[in-house]
Amino acid sequence: MRRIIIAIDGYVATGKSTTARGVAARLNYLHIDSGAMYRALAWYLLESGIRTPDEAAIQKVLVEFAIHLEREGQEMVVYLGDRRLEKELRQPEVASFASVISAIAAVREKMVAEQQRLGKGGGIVMDGRDIGTVVFPHAELKVFMVADLEARARRRYEELRQRGYEVSLQAVKAEIAERDHRDETRLISPLRRAPDAKILDTTYLTIPQQIDQVVAWAEACIFAPQTS
């Protein structure tokens, strides 16, 4: 059976990673969360005392930054050296700083090269913000996920509360709006829909509905007649 690359891009809190994991499980594909790679670097920089996008300092860290990913089932688990990163990658300050450093050319160059290596050969679902435009511009299926700001803020607010973080809905909404602006206006790999990407509005969709739709699109690609 044909094994394709599925690139899922879109805004924060649209359900990209959860949907990507579900699609990968349904198709027996490998799920790669590109955002986790950037969050791992953000966590490492914060642990190293770097809290601003100081390109010179970050360049030095990139030389020693030893990220590696291991497959566990359908998931890629992130390691820095011998340390497995899980809860560290879910901290709000780490996610916010990851959005900042992802605009730095050297950071994106390193991450994109690693993502392309991992995806070589197909049979993957990768989610992020530039997967269909930069990392895999020739992916057989590209999906761009959107949802209105209120719905996304409510989802992220509930998620953070469940993890034990004391936050206000207004603060979460403001942070998401700021991240949207930063992602859309950065000079390097801005968030944008690839011309051939299918739009999936998740404002009123459940996660199972999102997964069903992407799987249906994927199967249409997988079983489509091949042209010579």
Side-chain angles (χ1 to χ4, degrees):
M1 183 184 298
R2 186 179 181 215
R3 293 175 67 78
I4 66 173
I5 293 174
I6 302 173
I8 301 180
D9 292 306
Y11 292 89
V12 64
T14 52
K16 291 191 307 295
S17 293
T18 305
T19 297
R21 282 194 297 270
V23 171
R26 289 268 293 274
L27 297 175
N28 195 29
Y29 276 22
L30 176 65
H31 168 236
I32 302 173
D33 179 358
S34 68
M37 299 170 68
Y38 288 97
R39 292 192 296 275
L41 176 58
W43 176 82
Y44 188 72
L45 291 171
L46 292 171
E47 287 291 298
S48 301
I50 300 174
R51 299 185 171 273
T52 61
D54 182 333
E55 294 195 32
I58 291 173
Q59 285 269 22
K60 292 179 181 178
V61 170
L62 281 174
V63 174
E64 64 188 42
F65 181 64
I67 186 173
H68 69 278
L69 308 177
E70 293 187 9
R71 180 170 182 165
E72 293 188 4
Q74 304 310 128
E75 291 292 318
M76 293 301 294
V77 180
V78 180
Y79 284 85
L80 286 184
D82 295 328
R83 179 166 182 163
R84 173 175 173 151
L85 300 184
E86 293 183 278
K87 63 182 180 180
E88 294 89 346
L89 305 184
R90 296 192 292 269
Q91 298 170 2
E93 62 271 25
V94 170
S96 181
F97 195 43
S99 178
V100 173
I101 63 170
S102 66
I104 297 173
V107 170
R108 297 206 74 83
E109 182 179 345
K110 183 179 181 71
M111 296 302 184
V112 167
E114 179 64 12
Q115 290 158 11
Q116 290 173 333
R117 184 188 67 78
L118 291 168
K120 188 176 181 180
I124 66 159
V125 184
M126 186 178 294
D127 63 280
R129 286 173 176 73
D130 64 348
I131 309 305
T133 54
V134 176
V135 183
F136 293 114
H138 302 300
E140 290 87 348
L141 174 60
K142 302 174 188 175
V143 178
F144 192 80
M145 293 176 62
V146 300
D148 69 42
L149 180 58
E150 290 291 340
R152 292 188 290 136
R154 173 63 63 179
R155 290 171 188 169
R156 182 51 55 90
Y157 170 77
E158 295 295 343
E159 178 186 347
L160 291 172
R161 294 275 293 176
Q162 288 174 9
R163 293 176 183 169
Y165 293 102
E166 292 296 327
V167 293
S168 72
L169 180 59
Q170 282 304 114
V172 172
K173 183 177 177 181
E175 181 185 1
I176 288 176
E178 180 184 348
R179 288 181 64 181
D180 286 350
H181 177 73
R182 188 162 59 233
D183 288 342
E184 291 173 330
T185 59
R186 67 191 183 199
L187 296 178
I188 301 168
S189 299
L191 172 64
R192 59 184 175 85
R193 171 183 171 250
D196 55 344
K198 297 181 181 296
I199 297 178
L200 182 61
D201 188 334
T202 70
T203 302
Y204 302 107
L205 296 180
T206 64
I207 292 296
Q209 288 172 329
Q210 294 170 202
I211 294 170
D212 285 345
Q213 179 61 82
V214 178
V215 168
W217 285 333
E219 289 178 339
C221 291
I222 292 168
F223 296 109
Q226 298 297 295
T227 58
S228 57

